[in-house]
Amino acid sequence: MGNSLKAIVAFVPSNKCQKYLLEDLEEMPVDKMVDLSGRQMRQLPVHICSFRELVKLYLSDNNLNHLPPELEQLQNLQILALDFNNFKALPLVVCTLKQLCILYLGNNKLCSLPLELRLLQNLKTLWIESNCLQYLPEVVCELSLLKTLHAGSNALRTLPPQLQCLQELRTIWLSGNLLSEFPPVLLDMPFLEVIDVDRNSIRFFPSLAHLPGLKLVIYDHNPCRNAPKVAKGVRRVGRWSEETPEPRKRSGAVIEITLDEKPLLPPATKTELE
């Protein structure tokens, strides 16, 4: 089915057109997964909501800006991918899916997240990168089991102090934001393993040597004059990392050391449940 034809069919709400869009997906697949990514859909075919045992639903790269209330029937859903769509607000029906472990919301037009998100107490991975967030919604700090937070490519200038309540958090990706200083709250999170603040506006890095769980810190592409100090065995990616010394002061001047650009270590692609 060509993309142009998909776009036309997706816009027509008739049952016949919806079934055509699903390509004869009449019964729930044996693997309990439905992937409707890249179908040019403007609305989710309601028929999908009848697959009550569904565990994974991928709706990435469509033209969705709302979801049907019938989605609430998918109470066994654990992975939901809504990235690369046109959502300006997270549909509240998503917050009724209390078994969700992984939620992809990246590359939409979100400026905030609803308070109802706190109902997703099984959520372990949240991707909200490439949206329009000027602050990290405090409701994220109520997701007590959260292990991975990807909030890169927004307009964040700071992080809420409540973030330290997320004692299960191990990885935080903050690249491509507007941070002018290293977020102080991260200094009080000894359980963090990966911190990514690449591509911000941080000029000075405090010592991170007191963080016992830290394994990797990415701080490249910041206008910094120092590298963050870390404990032995912690990998740094950025200027003056472990391979080269920091610039030395000589007669009051800073001697710059030019390094080759190091590639950013990107977050893994969509993960499966362990």
Side-chain angles (χ1 to χ4, degrees):
M1 188 190 303
N3 285 337
S4 298
L5 182 56
K6 285 182 183 179
I8 295 173
V9 172
F11 195 70
V12 180
S14 71
N15 290 334
K16 185 175 181 180
C17 287
Q18 287 193 18
K19 289 183 178 180
Y20 182 56
L21 184 67
L22 293 175
E23 299 177 354
D24 298 323
L25 183 60
E26 296 288 346
E27 298 180 357
M28 186 182 71
V30 176
D31 60 4
K32 299 182 180 180
M33 179 187 76
V34 168
D35 188 351
L36 294 176
S37 301
R39 302 291 184 99
Q40 306 294 317
M41 294 188 304
R42 295 179 182 271
Q43 63 179 17
L44 175 66
V46 178
H47 177 62
I48 294 298
C49 301
S50 66
F51 299 162
R52 297 185 179 229
E53 299 301 315
L54 200 65
V55 173
K56 307 171 187 177
L57 177 58
Y58 296 94
L59 302 174
S60 308
D61 193 18
N62 282 292
N63 295 307
L64 300 172
N65 57 27
H66 68 282
L67 294 172
E70 289 85 355
L71 190 73
E72 185 176 5
Q73 300 177 57
L74 303 182
Q75 286 300 311
N76 290 297
L77 205 62
Q78 297 181 36
I79 300 178
L80 177 60
L82 299 175
D83 47 329
F84 291 94
N85 277 284
N86 292 318
F87 292 104
K88 294 182 178 179
L90 179 65
L92 293 183
V93 66
V94 172
C95 300
T96 68
L97 305 175
K98 297 182 180 181
Q99 297 304 313
L100 277 183
C101 296
I102 303 175
L103 179 58
Y104 297 103
L105 300 175
N107 289 274
N108 279 284
K109 301 174 182 177
L110 301 173
C111 294
S112 63
L113 294 173
L115 292 177
E116 288 80 359
L117 189 72
R118 62 166 63 107
L119 299 175
L120 301 182
Q121 285 300 308
N122 285 306
L123 205 62
K124 295 181 179 178
T125 299
L126 177 61
W127 288 50
I128 50 177
E129 81 286 1
S130 299
N131 276 286
C132 304
L133 298 170
Q134 296 185 14
Y135 61 92
L136 183 68
E138 292 185 7
V139 67
V140 172
C141 304
E142 299 185 43
L143 303 174
S144 60
L145 295 184
L146 200 65
K147 290 187 175 182
T148 300
L149 175 61
H150 188 353
S153 300
N154 280 285
L156 305 181
R157 296 180 181 274
T158 186
L159 297 178
Q162 295 91 330
L163 193 69
Q164 65 180 301
C165 296
L166 297 182
Q167 297 191 13
E168 296 298 321
L169 194 65
R170 297 295 180 266
T171 303
I172 185 164
W173 304 92
L174 299 166
S175 62
N177 277 286
L178 301 176
L179 300 173
S180 59
E181 66 172 349
F182 187 83
V185 66
L186 299 185
L187 299 175
D188 296 324
M189 301 177 70
F191 34 80
L192 284 175
E193 297 180 356
V194 176
I195 299 175
D196 175 15
V197 289
D198 179 67
R199 299 182 187 278
N200 278 278
S201 301
I202 301 173
R203 294 186 175 275
F204 173 78
F205 280 95
S207 174
L208 307 180
H210 66 289
L211 300 179
L214 195 61
K215 297 178 180 178
L216 169 66
V217 56
I218 305 172
Y219 63 96
D220 213 4
H221 304 97
N222 280 280
C224 56
R225 289 293 185 179
N226 72 309
K229 293 182 179 180
V230 295
K232 185 178 180 180
V234 178
R235 184 183 177 194
R236 299 184 298 180
V237 177
R239 301 174 75 191
W240 317 305
S241 60
E242 54 267 291
E243 292 86 0
T244 56
E246 292 188 29
R248 294 172 295 171
K249 289 185 178 180
R250 185 176 298 173
S251 301
V254 175
I255 308 300
E256 293 284 352
I257 299 176
T258 302
L259 303 178
D260 293 332
E261 290 281 313
K262 290 190 176 181
L264 171 67
L265 301 182
T269 54
K270 291 188 174 63
T271 54
E272 295 291 334
L273 290 177
E274 295 181 357

